[in-house]
Amino acid sequence: EPEVTQTPSHQVTQMGQEVILRCVPISNHLYFYWYRQILGQKVEFLVSFYNNEISEKSEIFDDQFSVERPDGSNFTLKIRSTKLEDSAMYFCASSVGPYNEQFFGPGTRLTVL
Amino acid sequence: ELKVEQNPLFLSMQEGKNYTIYCNYSTTSDRLYWYRQDPGKSLESLFVLLSNGAVKQEGRLMASLDTKARLSTLHITAAVHDLSATYFCAVDMTGTASKLTFGTGTRLQVTL
């Protein structure tokens, strides 16, 4: 069964460093999302992406964040200068259409020291 | 701003018992989703409810949606230990490439 994959599973970085989180959505899906979950808290929307551009973004998704689909399969989230409060689990998700079920990847745990 | 609230936040129940988790949301939406999350793991889709009155069942779990009351319920019948997890409801609003707004989550612990 097709699934969303994410790499790395765990990333440790120093404050101020740039990180890139990678996702491979399900192949016939057209809508892509990033969410994050701070430990023990609820899942928060970051950004949605369709047709090679951002559809919607949350207040969390400030200028430090960017997303890209560099080729036909990968979908990346870049944090330019990480802060301590960026430590969280980041989930990528994809869906066939805008009102369809979103399938989540296994997540990348980001730890900022 | 769409708000999604779940209760209870934590539920400890014995095997064999029944219970209901509630999910309330603040603005009009016709689509509601239930996800399960095991500790340290990803979100597993359980149910997609796409219209008022929708009811779906899978094993010991049954979900329903009342869009007029802005309420969804997840009913657990004869709980077993394997159902121990955190359950999230999520709502999306009309629009292109909808984002999901998640509830606070209900941590379910089923004791033997």
Side-chain angles (χ1 to χ4, degrees):
Chain A
E1 186 176 324
E3 57 183 21
V4 178
T5 60
Q6 289 184 244
T7 53
S9 56
H10 191 192
Q11 174 96 45
V12 181
T13 190
Q14 296 289 326
M15 193 168 55
Q17 295 296 304
E18 175 183 287
V19 294
I20 297 176
L21 311 182
R22 292 184 167 79
C23 168
V24 178
I26 295 173
S27 63
N28 64 332
H29 286 190
L30 300 176
Y31 293 81
F32 314 117
Y33 312 84
W34 283 100
Y35 293 83
R36 80 171 185 191
Q37 184 180 33
I38 294 170
L39 187 63
Q41 297 188 23
K42 68 177 178 178
V43 179
E44 300 174 290
F45 169 80
L46 292 177
V47 66
S48 58
F49 191 86
Y50 168 70
N51 200 25
N52 284 320
E53 59 183 32
I54 291 174
S55 304
E56 191 169 357
K57 59 184 181 179
S58 71
E59 291 173 355
I60 302 167
F61 194 89
D62 61 21
D63 292 344
Q64 294 299 317
F65 291 86
S66 63
V67 288
E68 198 176 44
R69 189 155 159 83
D71 54 43
S73 58
N74 290 284
F75 179 51
T76 62
L77 174 69
K78 183 194 290 187
I79 310 175
R80 285 190 189 80
S81 178
T82 50
K83 306 183 188 73
L84 294 175
E85 55 265 35
D86 293 329
S87 294
M89 184 76 101
Y90 288 80
F91 292 107
C92 173
S94 69
S95 64
V96 170
Y99 311 126
N100 294 91
E101 187 179 6
Q102 292 181 23
F103 292 87
F104 284 75
T108 293
R109 180 169 297 286
L110 177 64
T111 302
V112 183
L113 303 175
Chain B
E1 182 192 341
L2 173 59
K3 287 188 181 353
V4 184
E5 293 182 347
Q6 288 179 237
N7 71 82
L9 297 182
F10 178 72
L11 175 56
S12 180
M13 56 191 297
Q14 287 183 316
E15 277 202 334
K17 300 289 188 186
N18 304 332
Y19 209 84
T20 301
I21 298 170
Y22 297 88
C23 173
N24 290 92
Y25 53 97
S26 60
T27 60
T28 304
S29 173
D30 289 330
R31 293 179 302 280
L32 189 137
Y33 309 81
W34 283 97
Y35 286 88
R36 169 184 170 142
Q37 185 180 40
D38 291 297
K41 302 290 186 184
S42 187
L43 295 147
E44 176 192 351
S45 178
L46 293 175
F47 299 109
V48 180
L49 303 169
L50 297 177
S51 60
N52 185 41
V55 177
K56 291 203 173 172
Q57 180 160 8
E58 180 74 35
R60 299 173 189 276
L61 301 177
M62 183 172 73
S64 66
L65 177 62
D66 180 345
T67 58
K68 292 189 172 71
R70 298 178 188 166
L71 170 70
S72 179
T73 59
L74 180 66
H75 186 73
I76 303 150
T77 303
V80 292
H81 182 68
D82 285 351
L83 290 179
S84 298
T86 298
Y87 293 85
F88 290 95
C89 63
V91 180
D92 72 12
M93 295 185 62
T94 304
T96 305
S98 285
K99 67 182 187 186
L100 292 179
T101 299
F102 280 80
T104 44
T106 296
R107 188 168 145 233
L108 173 65
Q109 185 176 66
V110 181
T111 55
L112 298 170

